[in-house]
Amino acid sequence: MTSKTKLIHAAFEAGEGILRLAPTWVPRSFCIPGRRIKLDPRDYYSFGAHRGGIDERWFSSTTKADNGPLTTPDEGLSYVVHEDGGETHKVLLLDVVAELGAELLGDEMWSKYGKWPIYSKFFDNRDPLPHHLHQTQEFASLVGMEQKPEAYFFPPQLNNHGGTFPHTFFGLEPGTTKEQVRHCLEIWNEGDNKITNLSKAYRLEVGTGWYVPAGVLHAPGSLCTYEPQWASDVFAMFQSLVAEVPIEWGNLVKNVPADKHHDLDFLVSMVDWEANVLPDLKAKYFRPPVLVRPLAEMEEEGYIEKWITYGNEYFAAKELTVLPGRTVKIRDAGAYGFITVQGHGFINRHPIETPALIRFGQLTCDEYFVSAAAAAHGVTIHNPSKSDPLVMLKHFGPNKEAPTA
């Protein structure tokens, strides 16, 4: 065995199928941080001002961020942390998945995908994002990438303020024509191309969420968002000015074949028209939380669990609350990662806690990855607090137990 292989197996065996993960911070040059993801305020420009502020933290990620030529070699990738004999070791989760395969992800997921096919993140921007889409597989494959459907959930613990515009534009109004969208691209350099005039904004509600298929235009509002998504960082921005900040044409065509960068008809064709002009768009894509079991039964056992991402074939997510002073055993179908957003305690014998402030590069005990076997057997979670709930958000790949709609 190589030293890396030994480290991977040592971490997996010592953790009894549960892996501790280090925080993964990601900057965006076109964003202004909302400062709600617990990063120390001295550290928001740790990648350098030229890279933009840090407004994302990625979870359970084997997907590299696509931030242009200045992207660092491991940007967006999660590290497994293993402490042994007073020494702290780190290894990429990407390498752990490749080494352990089905032992980590389960036979079904490994045989179908041969990888961990999703990741999640906190997205924390002060202002709204441009109206944009993530290419469908048809268009993403033209540049060697994969489609990126995604989902949103707005955690109360991370939304002490709503930012400048806690509303999200979704899709296009019924009756919108392709010619109207094309015209918005034609006038890109004239300032605001007014593409959101063709859309509708929905007020965002803390404790609820949305599902956004690939190919659907959306301009995410300024709430801090938990986002399970497919393992890709592909996008195309269709709005030329947001919060008085111009958006470069390059952010529209960064994942478009070079010979199509100025082919307006091609760019408009990336919009999944039928999915964008639905007359009942909210009914189709809005995701209120759904109780996993009857509330009284769960409270009697010491916890409350809700599906917060569901109704798609790609990923799912739950919010788990362990009540103060209670110990519970929770079983799940499939491997998952989780991030703790409130409280402290233990999962099996691993400490879990929610830091109030995190320095860039600091290791924490708020994020873990649970293997398929450990999830199926059940993990024991203990909340020792007399008053504070222990709350975690759990991100899965395709999950057969999730509600279908």
Side-chain angles (χ1 to χ4, degrees):
M1 284 188 181
T2 65
S3 57
K4 180 191 292 186
T5 302
K6 289 180 180 178
L7 173 58
I8 290 170
H9 285 274
F12 189 69
E13 292 166 11
E16 298 175 345
I18 299 176
L19 301 170
R20 177 186 172 197
L21 301 180
T24 301
W25 307 105
V26 175
R28 297 293 194 186
S29 61
F30 48 80
C31 294
I32 299 175
R35 299 176 181 266
R36 291 164 292 193
I37 52 177
K38 303 180 182 178
L39 182 62
D40 189 294
R42 293 168 288 184
D43 294 342
Y44 275 99
Y45 291 87
S46 291
F47 285 86
H50 63 295
R51 296 294 317 280
I54 295 171
D55 68 340
E56 299 186 9
R57 179 179 170 184
W58 289 20
F59 307 119
S60 305
S61 173
T62 58
T63 302
K64 186 177 177 181
D66 183 12
N67 277 333
L70 298 179
T71 307
T72 59
D74 59 353
E75 200 162 308
L77 297 174
S78 292
Y79 279 90
V80 171
V81 178
H82 177 54
E83 295 183 350
D84 180 40
E87 295 186 356
T88 301
H89 306 276
K90 292 169 60 179
V91 61
L92 286 171
L93 179 62
L94 179 67
D95 293 334
V96 175
V97 170
E99 173 64 27
L100 297 178
E103 189 176 6
L104 180 67
L105 302 183
D107 291 332
E108 184 175 352
M109 179 174 288
W110 184 249
S111 63
K112 184 172 183 178
Y113 300 107
K115 64 178 182 178
W116 174 240
I118 68 107
Y119 68 104
S120 192
K121 70 168 69 166
F122 285 153
F123 173 73
D124 174 40
N125 201 39
R126 186 193 69 180
D127 301 317
L129 276 187
H131 213 34
H132 69 280
L133 59 77
H134 304 287
Q135 285 90 328
T136 61
Q137 189 59 41
E138 174 188 358
F139 292 99
S141 63
L142 297 178
V143 290
M145 300 184 73
E146 291 198 33
Q147 64 177 331
K148 194 180 85 162
E150 62 185 12
Y152 304 149
F153 176 72
F154 311 111
Q157 295 86 354
L158 299 177
N159 279 293
N160 59 308
H161 70 87
T164 62
F165 191 77
H167 305 74
T168 291
F169 288 90
F170 287 105
L172 298 165
E173 282 286 82
T176 301
T177 67
K178 295 181 181 179
E179 288 71 24
Q180 288 175 294
V181 175
R182 190 183 194 281
H183 177 68
C184 291
L185 301 185
E186 290 174 347
I187 62 172
W188 188 276
N189 290 319
E190 297 178 18
D192 183 3
N193 67 353
K194 299 182 180 180
I195 192 167
T196 52
N197 288 10
L198 308 177
S199 184
K200 179 188 291 184
Y202 296 81
R203 182 175 180 176
L204 304 178
E205 181 181 355
V206 169
T208 70
W210 290 75
Y211 171 60
V212 185
V216 170
L217 288 162
H218 53 294
S222 55
L223 287 188
C224 187
T225 309
Y226 169 71
E227 297 187 13
Q229 55 203 260
W230 200 244
S232 175
D233 197 23
V234 66
F235 66 80
M237 294 186 170
F238 277 68
Q239 188 174 354
S240 62
L241 186 74
V242 181
E244 300 305 318
V245 177
I247 306 302
E248 294 182 3
W249 183 264
N251 285 315
L252 169 61
V253 300
K254 73 183 251 333
N255 299 129
V256 170
D259 63 340
K260 302 294 185 183
H261 280 195
H262 298 282
D263 185 336
L264 302 190
D265 293 321
F266 176 87
L267 297 174
V268 172
S269 74
M270 295 192 299
V271 178
D272 184 334
W273 208 257
E274 183 178 342
N276 275 270
V277 297
L278 290 172
D280 56 347
L281 188 143
K282 183 175 181 179
K284 183 76 171 179
Y285 300 136
F286 181 61
R287 294 291 184 268
V290 175
L291 291 170
V292 172
R293 295 171 54 199
L295 181 60
E297 290 182 13
M298 291 189 289
E299 288 181 326
E300 178 69 22
E301 295 182 20
Y303 73 98
I304 301 170
E305 192 166 43
K306 304 172 184 177
W307 290 103
I308 55 175
T309 295
Y310 54 90
N312 71 84
E313 62 184 290
Y314 304 103
F315 40 69
K318 291 179 176 180
E319 177 194 60
L320 172 64
T321 301
V322 179
L323 302 177
R326 304 300 295 270
T327 300
V328 300
K329 189 169 186 176
I330 303 293
R331 295 179 175 84
D332 279 293
Y336 63 91
F338 74 83
I339 178 66
T340 314
V341 292
Q342 185 175 349
H344 69 283
F346 292 88
I347 179 168
N348 290 355
R349 58 186 184 81
H350 299 271
I352 47 178
E353 58 193 16
T354 310
L357 197 66
I358 307 171
R359 292 304 307 257
F360 184 82
Q362 176 186 344
L363 300 178
T364 60
C365 292
D366 59 348
E367 183 185 358
Y368 288 86
F369 192 93
V370 180
S371 68
H377 179 265
V379 296
T380 299
I381 303 171
H382 173 57
N383 180 3
S385 175
K386 293 183 178 180
S387 60
D388 198 18
L390 173 56
V391 184
M392 59 179 65
L393 307 178
K394 302 158 62 175
H395 25 275
F396 301 83
N399 189 299
K400 61 186 178 184
E401 294 182 341
T404 57

